[in-house]
Amino acid sequence: MAKIQPAGGQSLLRLINSVAVLSALREAGPATLSDLAARTGLSRPTVEAAVDDLVEQGWAEELQAGAERRVGRPARRYAFRADSGYVLGLDVGAHRVLGVLADLNGRQVHTHETRVDPQLDAESRLSVVRKMATRCLSGGGVPRSRLMAAGVGTPGVVARDGTVTLSTVLPGWVRLPLARRLGRSLSCPVLVDNDANLAALAERSHGVARDVDDLIYLLIGRRMGAGLILGGRVHQGFGGAAGEIGLLDPKKWEHCRELLLGPATTEPTVEHDHQVTERILTAARGGDADALGIVDEFCAVLAQHAAAMTLTVDPEMIVLGGGLASAGDLLLPRLERHMDRVCLRTPRLAASTVGQEAVVLGAVRLALHAADEALQQQAGAPAPT
Amino acid sequence: MAKIQPAGGQSLLRLINSVAVLSALREAGPATLSDLAARTGLSRPTVEAAVDDLVEQGWAEELQAGAERRVGRPARRYAFRADSGYVLGLDVGAHRVLGVLADLNGRQVHTHETRVDPQLDAESRLSVVRKMATRCLSGGGVPRSRLMAAGVGTPGVVARDGTVTLSTVLPGWVRLPLARRLGRSLSCPVLVDNDANLAALAERSHGVARDVDDLIYLLIGRRMGAGLILGGRVHQGFGGAAGEIGLLDPKKWEHCRELLLGPATTEPTVEHDHQVTERILTAARGGDADALGIVDEFCAVLAQHAAAMTLTVDPEMIVLGGGLASAGDLLLPRLERHMDRVCLRTPRLAASTVGQEAVVLGAVRLALHAADEALQQQAGAPAPT
């Protein structure tokens, strides 16, 4: 894993200063030594020594002076090198595995997707994931040593140590120490979280919930689940089981799923699901009474579960994500009407704008947090929030 | 309000240093100048100047050297003066108002309780609260200028600005900008929160939930409500309505209340309530089948609501507080059995150990946070978490 190193066995203090200067460069963009001294409160010689270390190790670079300053010697300017480290985001589902390699600014460098057999056993699926990581790194031309962290989203309950403790979608995952296994393969910190949680994170970073600190993300598609962001952070719960609201009334929840998405028992193909759903949605949009009835019943059950969560945490917004996000026109007004009957204040309802890549983009975001933390912890400084 | 002031128009930097030294003194206890220099990373002359400022303004004091050091000149030691500022906690309920004056270490200096008519209008109740504040200050011999903050707990939904937006127990409170009105009277920051939230905070500071970061507090007595601590902080929700789980099925919730606590419609006296409850609990402990049936039905309904909250946030612990906390022996095992049927993992269940003063002690804690924040913000530094 890439690390900030004090050149030639220097002191911890010099390392701390390097991290402070690096943080200032990342936040402020290109800056002169004087800018950096002002931002960090460090002396100019200290900043200069730190910058020298950072340039030598590839974390920062000196920018070429622009042509605009012709009088006097232009002050040297330095910039953070976003390509000094990389992170990997992975969305490991039943039917597909999606990977995104990104630089430390979150810019996507390489993406790759592969379809997998939902019946695949755990070891074979793990091997697909490893190959995906290798493929993304080689596709982006990035050596493994520059990979600073990986984030993984997967269906199921994920304990804080990255072990899957329950998954109806991927039963083979249960008791698998996913974070540890992948960490060993990738030689970097690996963080694993529930897919709905990571989709929520992506929606807050790139989507409709930007700057919303308290939100519930409803993942509504073949997989139905909920992810929570509370106080600006993913809320996993003590055992990783936050948002498992489907258990409140499992029969009703399953019935709700079947209404719009076809029966779960026959292990439906993706195509079959889509056909059932699209047929109903199209008919409902055309005013068909039966189809509208189905849509309304679906919304009534969903509203009951969303209301239970809303009465518990009172979020600012509920985001409808997953395959049915595109049916927001039909679902959101009905969901709102049913929730209004129960809630003191129905939160703002919105359809996801991140789309089908929400989970993998949330995984990238998780990995970026981990990379930041790794950088900060090297110097014993607190990670930025 | 008491403030740290740089002596004689000194620089912001000196003020920042004073706050850093003050924080170190509060955390570490009595310390020498060298200790403080080591803890803050400041130079000894800087620490000395800061300590001089703090002593001059009454925030710190020099301790008398003990007799144990006879060789050489003993190093001077300084201590934070917890009596340099005070906070007030207030529990404003339907039937009583409770006040606690505490120093900056949270030590109770004076407490006072007064019973009030539940029908009292808002202005009269406000006047009782003001008198309570005056009474606590004079009882503790503390001048109003030393009051740094007040915390207030009250039934109902409290918006972030301290306005009560809904209260079935105190309907007169609705739309009252409680924090602003009391802030004007007390000339210090006033923070208002829902009573169950503050009881949860007290349980985490002094009670059975010490060091538990994610917990739900069930306030079960004449007033039934829930308070949440998530990630170590009170979770109020976007509109202050987190924990209003009773609305999930209001009829069932009210029926549950009536089973054990007597009818709400007849505006029962405290004594009447207690008699009904105690009669049933005593009979149940004696093995009476009817009484046990009532207790079990009560637990079944409570479990349903607690399960909805648990499936949403997956807390580590649920604390049973309020008047029925003393019936934990009867209620907790039954609550657990019913929750086990629904939850993936039923959280640890425990009876409150803080008791009837939970709300006011939580209010003191809230005021202490506010006092810390005020101190830190004076220097633009982040408040300790």
Side-chain angles (χ1 to χ4, degrees), chain A residues 153-154 156-158 192-204 215 217 219 223 225-229 233-237 240-244 358-359 362-363 366, chain B residues 312:
Chain A
T154 197
V157 175
V158 182
V192 183
D193 203 344
N194 168 272
D195 51 3
N197 283 346
L198 293 186
L201 191 58
E203 210 60 61
R204 185 167 185 264
L215 74 102
Y217 180 97
L219 180 64
R223 207 348 246 123
L228 281 81
I229 304 261
R233 291 163 176 276
V234 168
H235 179 79
Q236 302 176 294
E244 293 295 323
V359 178
L366 188 68
Chain B
T312 305

Side-chain angles (χ1 to χ4, degrees), chain A residues 235 238-239 241 243-244 311-314, chain B residues 235 238-239 241 243 311-314:
Chain A
H235 179 79
F238 184 65
E244 293 295 323
L311 292 173
T312 305
V313 296
D314 186 20
Chain B
H235 178 80
F238 184 66
L311 293 172
T312 305
V313 296
D314 186 21

Side-chain angles (χ1 to χ4, degrees), chain A residues 124-144:
Chain A
S124 307
R125 192 175 299 270
L126 212 47
S127 146
V128 171
V129 174
R130 281 195 210 97
K131 275 184 204 137
M132 172 63 74
T134 305
R135 184 107 183 216
C136 285
L137 286 166
S138 65
V142 170
R144 197 164 282 248

Side-chain angles (χ1 to χ4, degrees), chain A residues 51-333:
Chain A
V51 166
D52 284 347
D53 285 355
L54 292 171
V55 169
E56 192 183 318
Q57 291 163 33
W59 294 101
E61 62 188 340
E62 187 181 340
L63 297 180
Q64 296 308 311
E68 72 276 11
R69 277 188 67 163
R70 294 188 179 275
V71 182
R73 192 162 60 91
R76 288 179 294 164
R77 292 170 74 237
Y78 296 89
F80 170 63
R81 282 185 58 184
D83 64 345
S84 55
Y86 291 85
V87 299
L88 190 63
L90 295 159
D91 171 3
V92 185
H95 296 82
R96 68 165 186 172
V97 175
L98 191 59
V100 168
L101 184 73
D103 69 17
L104 290 181
N105 281 341
R107 194 179 58 88
Q108 295 184 31
V109 173
H110 192 82
T111 69
H112 189 65
E113 179 175 355
T114 185
R115 304 215 68 86
V116 287
D117 179 351
Q119 309 291 349
L120 214 60
D121 67 71
E123 289 302 326
S124 307
R125 192 175 299 270
L126 212 47
S127 146
V128 171
V129 174
R130 281 195 210 97
K131 275 184 204 137
M132 172 63 74
T134 305
R135 184 107 183 216
C136 285
L137 286 166
S138 65
V142 170
R144 197 164 282 248
S145 62
R146 279 282 164 202
L147 187 62
M148 292 191 65
V152 180
T154 197
V157 175
V158 182
R160 290 190 185 190
D161 67 353
T163 300
V164 178
T165 57
L166 184 95
S167 181
T168 47
V169 179
L170 296 174
W173 257 185
V174 176
R175 282 188 290 281
L176 196 75
L178 198 49
R180 190 155 56 80
R181 292 287 301 273
L182 284 175
R184 222 149 49 192
S185 312
L186 299 177
S187 308
C188 71
V190 173
L191 282 89
V192 183
D193 203 344
N194 168 272
D195 51 3
N197 283 346
L198 293 186
L201 191 58
E203 210 60 61
R204 185 167 185 264
S205 310
H206 315 89
V208 69
R210 218 168 289 201
D211 301 324
V212 173
D213 280 343
D214 296 312
L215 74 102
I216 293 173
Y217 180 97
L218 297 173
L219 180 64
I220 304 295
R222 184 177 326 103
R223 207 348 246 123
M224 280 178 46
L228 281 81
I229 304 261
L230 298 176
R233 291 163 176 276
V234 168
H235 179 79
Q236 302 176 294
F238 184 65
E244 293 295 323
I245 196 69
L247 293 169
L248 190 60
D249 192 338
K251 273 188 198 154
K252 232 183 211 172
W253 187 246
E254 190 46 37
H255 171 64
C256 171
R257 213 197 79 90
E258 286 180 10
L259 275 171
L260 262 187
L261 299 153
T265 43
T266 55
E267 188 55 57
T269 62
V270 185
E271 292 67 29
H272 174 72
D273 270 357
H274 282 179
Q275 276 175 20
V276 172
T277 312
E278 283 311 316
R279 208 172 50 228
I280 301 171
L281 294 177
T282 306
R285 286 199 183 93
D288 179 89
D290 287 347
L292 281 170
I294 289 175
V295 168
D296 194 64
E297 192 183 341
F298 180 89
C299 289
V301 178
L302 195 59
Q304 220 172 347
H305 291 79
M309 292 195 285
T310 295
L311 292 173
T312 305
V313 296
D314 186 20
E316 179 176 354
M317 186 188 260
I318 293 183
V319 178
L320 183 71
L324 286 184
S326 57
D329 59 320
L330 279 172
L331 303 179
L332 293 179

Side-chain angles (χ1 to χ4, degrees), chain B residues 262-287:
Chain B
T265 43
T266 56
E267 188 56 58
T269 62
V270 185
E271 291 68 28
H272 173 71
D273 270 358
H274 282 179
Q275 275 175 21
V276 173
T277 311
E278 283 311 316
R279 208 171 50 228
I280 300 170
L281 295 177
T282 306
R285 285 198 184 93

